[in-house]
Structures are given as structure tokens and as C-alpha cells.
Amino acid sequence: MNCLFCSIIDKQIPADIVYEDEHVLAFRDINPQTPQHMLVIPKQHIATLNDANEADALLLGRLSLAAAKLATQQGFAEAGYRTVMNCNAHGGQTVDHIHLHLLGGKALGWPPFTDQLKTV
Ligand code: 5GP
Ligand code: ZN
């Protein structure tokens, strides 16, 4: 299988790894959108959130817990941060291996992307 993030897990492609345990890997996004922007991924290949099932519930939970641990380690947990998982084309997913974006280091606007919100 040709998957960019599986290649990072296998250390075939370099990445700035900031956290690793038995189930989860985290590394800095190559194109950061905030001063702190990391990706938290499962070591198991799951293409999109749509492909996850009941058996993956614990693993999905581990992604969030790893993100919180990482934010603490990096010193911005108290100030706050955002986690985002994009899914498929409308969600803006470009890499088909699920990943939780961990965004921090500055105050983020809410709601996001107000220019793209459609009022009906
Ligand atoms: P998505 O758009 O799928 O939600 O997020 C994919 C993220 O992966 C993007 O933020 C993009 O910058 C990041 N990315 C793409 N290729 C690489 C890479 O080779 N290395 C790293 N560290 N990040 C990458
Ligand atoms: Zn993969």
C-alpha cells in the first residue's frame, strides 16, 4: 500500500516526530497553519473517519488523549488549542490516513472559515 503517513510510521520518510507510543505517532505538519501545528495519527492504517468502526473506538480516543498530552509537553495546553479531523473532499482531507490536527500557539477564531459558511 502506498501511504505517505504509513511511510512516516515506518521511518521510510523523515518527519519531525514529537510523540510516539505503541499505538500513536505525532509529528510536526510540514505546512504549519499555526505556530504549533502537529498531526497525531494511529499506527494502524485507517483511510478516513468513515472507514473507522466500533473496534477502532479505543484507538480514536487515544488520538485525542495523545493530542492533550502533546499540548502539555509542548507547553500550550493551558493556553488552549484545537483538534480537527478532516474527512474526504468537503472536509479538506488530502492524506488518506486519518490524522488529528493539533493546532495551537495562538488564539484561533471561531467559527472557523466564516467566509465559507453558507447561510441557508
Ligand atoms: P489534511 O488536509 O488531509 O487534513 O491534512 C494533511 C496534512 O498533512 C496537511 O496539513 C499537510 O501540510 C500535511 N502533510 C502533507 N504531506 C506531509 C509530509 O510529507 N510531512 C508532514 N510532516 N506533513 C505533511
Ligand atoms: Zn497509512
Side-chain angles (χ1 to χ4, degrees):
M1 186 182 15
N2 192 15
C3 170
L4 174 64
F5 287 176
C6 282
S7 298
I8 288 176
I9 291 164
D10 293 340
K11 312 279 161 65
Q12 287 163 0
I13 291 178
D16 186 355
I17 293 171
V18 285
Y19 177 83
E20 182 167 14
D21 65 27
E22 189 186 344
H23 306 283
V24 170
L25 184 75
F27 49 91
R28 294 199 178 274
D29 197 293
I30 205 167
N31 183 24
Q33 301 303 310
T34 49
Q36 298 270 13
H37 185 179
M38 285 153 266
L39 303 172
V40 185
I41 70 173
K43 288 189 171 177
Q44 176 191 329
H45 180 88
I46 302 172
T48 81
L49 190 55
N50 292 340
D51 300 299
N53 57 49
E54 197 68 28
D56 302 316
L58 179 59
L59 185 56
L60 292 172
R62 290 187 197 279
L63 299 182
S64 291
L65 293 176
K69 194 186 283 188
L70 190 46
T72 299
Q73 281 175 3
Q74 297 287 328
F76 60 90
E78 202 60 39
Y81 55 89
R82 183 171 298 160
T83 60
V84 178
M85 186 178 288
N86 298 325
C87 183
N88 281 343
H90 281 192
Q93 184 175 5
T94 58
V95 178
D96 280 351
H97 179 129
I98 58 170
H99 45 282
L100 196 61
H101 292 262
L102 171 60
L103 299 149
K106 63 174 281 195
L108 303 170
W110 189 266
F113 317 123
T114 46
D115 55 321
Q116 295 172 27
L117 289 177
K118 188 178 179 206
T119 49
V120 283

